Amino acid sequence: MNRELIINAHAGGVDIALLEDRKLVELHHESGDSQFAVGDIYLGKVKKLIPGLNAAFVDVGYEKDAFLHYTDLSPYARSVLKFTQMAIHDKEPGGFDFATFKKEPEIIKTGKITEVLGGKPEILVQILKEPISSKGPRLSCEISLPGRYVVLTPFNEIVAVSKKIHSAEERRRLQNIVEAIRPANFGVIVRTAAEGKKTAELHEDLLQLVDMWKTIQRNLYRAQPPQKIMSEQNRTNSILRDLLNESFNRIVVNDKALFHEVKTYIQKIAPEKQDIVHLHHNHTPVFDHYGITKQVKASFGKTVNLDSGVYLIIESTEALHVIDVNSGYKSSSNNQEQNALMTNLEAAEEIARQLRLRDLGGIIIVDFIDMKLPENKRAVLKAMEQFMANDRAKHTILPISKFGLMQITRQRVRPEVNISTSEVCPVCRGTGTISSTLLIVDEIEKNIQYLIDEGHRHLLLRVNPILYGYLTKGLLSQQIKWWWKFKQWIRLEKDSNYYLIEYHFFDYKSDEEIKL
């Protein structure tokens, strides 16, 4: 499989697109001021205990208190509480040695929240789910620090190997290596990416995570809740950490600073892959150049059309997503059962992509075209399982019911990606009429004259592709006329993200926008 990661940095943050065989399968947005991301570690203050729910509300600085259920406390919750207080009030220079930390007895699975968090203490917590809709973040006390090859879990001493590593011999080898290098008071989960790796690589990854834990311990000193103690890596690096494998063959970044950051990170985690990182030099916006903007417009919205004529209707509520499969004009044979099977198999592939792309979570109900034969229903189930095999979110797929419905549950840790594909014209406000193009040209000319009078000599004008065509068409184009009139060549570029008569001036040497 051909995998590409396209990274678009802009004023509002960073957009990250994952392409598989040139098809968009994941889209992530990281805003410049993003907070409460999955994996962030906070010092929180228990504000309210709810015995009826066996849960607590914890203040971590969000507008609504975060939710901590008893089942998310971790068996070592008392050890976490003890460590938190010791680290906050630590008087030893450089901090106490965690290897000598004496753990508290484990809590019982059927215990009560009031028995553990009575007195409303300060506690170290990790974001399990980001704030979604009207809900605050969901928390866990089971702290885990993910690396490239291993995940470090303080307070327990268990070594576990990913079930996706099937070779019994390799599992034993990794188990023995990690048992030998594991520091005291730490558990280790060996990730799938560790398969075939040498002891030195695993040890280096483990030492980096131990250093991260030491940083958390130092940051806790004299901390006052609510306070962020440690941030998860930015979304770009965390995606690279979790996804980077042999099938990746290109990472494209449109920002120099981010390019160097990504390249440095790749050199650290996979030096042999550093040559796949490229800086986007083309003046065309990076998402336009790789066809991502067009795919986003085609893939979001209520209706999703497939090339064959099959289309999906996707409706969402707070707790449920419903996907209706429609055959459209697809009819490859006269056999109705065969047509239904082919339609459903094609739809299943697109549904698996849509779940990843929109990051839909919770309960998903898929209404497939009715099929009578049990073997056809099993074929669709097997296909759906294969198509969702690359999905990193935990999911469960149930067989198609007698009503033709498939139920899927998919882990939801972030708000779904929701992009409106229908556009109300910002100029006409839906009235259907806009200023004449001739008047727009006059307006642009006045602005060009003003900028030239102000001393600008490297003008670049970015416009919508339709306006670009109008300005550049013919031998005696408007662009040529401007050259004669202003004795200066005005560079033109098209940007499909601009609405019909939107335009902006830039300095083409620095690519900085010139504000009018």
Side-chain angles (χ1 to χ4, degrees), residues 83 86 90 92-102 184-186 213-214 217:
F83 169 81
M86 285 179 65
D90 192 9
E92 294 184 33
F96 64 87
D97 183 5
F98 185 68
T100 63
F101 176 79
K102 291 184 179 178
N185 280 333
F186 287 106
W213 180 249
K214 288 177 181 175
Q217 188 175 328

Side-chain angles (χ1 to χ4, degrees), residues 249-264:
N249 62 353
R250 179 180 285 264
I251 298 170
V252 182
V253 189
N254 71 336
D255 177 79
K256 248 183 196 175
L258 192 56
F259 165 75
H260 290 302
E261 182 185 328
V262 170
K263 185 135 189 168
T264 302

Side-chain angles (χ1 to χ4, degrees), residues 434-445 461 463-482 492-494 500-503:
I434 61 172
S435 302
S436 163
T437 311
L438 293 172
L439 297 180
I440 295 302
V441 171
D442 286 346
E443 184 183 312
I444 293 173
E445 278 191 9
L461 177 64
V463 295
N464 177 278
I466 296 173
L467 187 54
Y468 176 88
Y470 178 80
L471 296 173
T472 56
K473 187 178 179 181
L475 289 173
L476 199 59
S477 67
Q478 191 63 51
Q479 191 178 23
I480 297 291
K481 290 177 183 177
W482 287 343
L492 287 175
E493 283 183 7
K494 51 191 171 185
L500 183 60
I501 55 175
E502 181 182 3
Y503 63 90

Side-chain angles (χ1 to χ4, degrees), residues 4 32 34 46 112 139 146 175 224 233 281 284 307 339 360 394 411 413-414 423 436 465 496:
E4 298 170 291
S34 59
V46 177
K112 295 180 179 177
L139 306 177
Q175 181 95 21
Q224 294 290 326
Q233 292 176 331
H281 291 292
T284 308
D307 292 339
N339 272 341
L360 298 180
K394 293 177 184 176
Q411 182 185 29
V413 296
R414 295 187 182 92
E423 302 173 2
S436 163
S496 58

Side-chain angles (χ1 to χ4, degrees), residues 213-270:
W213 180 249
K214 288 177 181 175
T215 304
I216 290 170
Q217 188 175 328
R218 286 194 300 271
N219 290 347
L220 274 170
Y221 179 58
R222 291 187 175 177
Q224 294 290 326
Q227 184 174 323
K228 185 186 282 189
I229 301 300
M230 174 71 76
S231 283
E232 163 70 310
Q233 292 176 331
N234 62 53
R235 191 69 57 86
T236 309
N237 285 353
S238 64
I239 288 171
L240 287 173
R241 179 193 66 207
D242 295 342
L243 288 180
L244 190 67
N245 57 29
E246 291 71 23
S247 65
F248 256 96
N249 62 353
R250 179 180 285 264
I251 298 170
V252 182
V253 189
N254 71 336
D255 177 79
K256 248 183 196 175
L258 192 56
F259 165 75
H260 290 302
E261 182 185 328
V262 170
K263 185 135 189 168
T264 302
Y265 184 70
I266 293 288
Q267 285 170 341
K268 187 171 73 173
I269 67 166

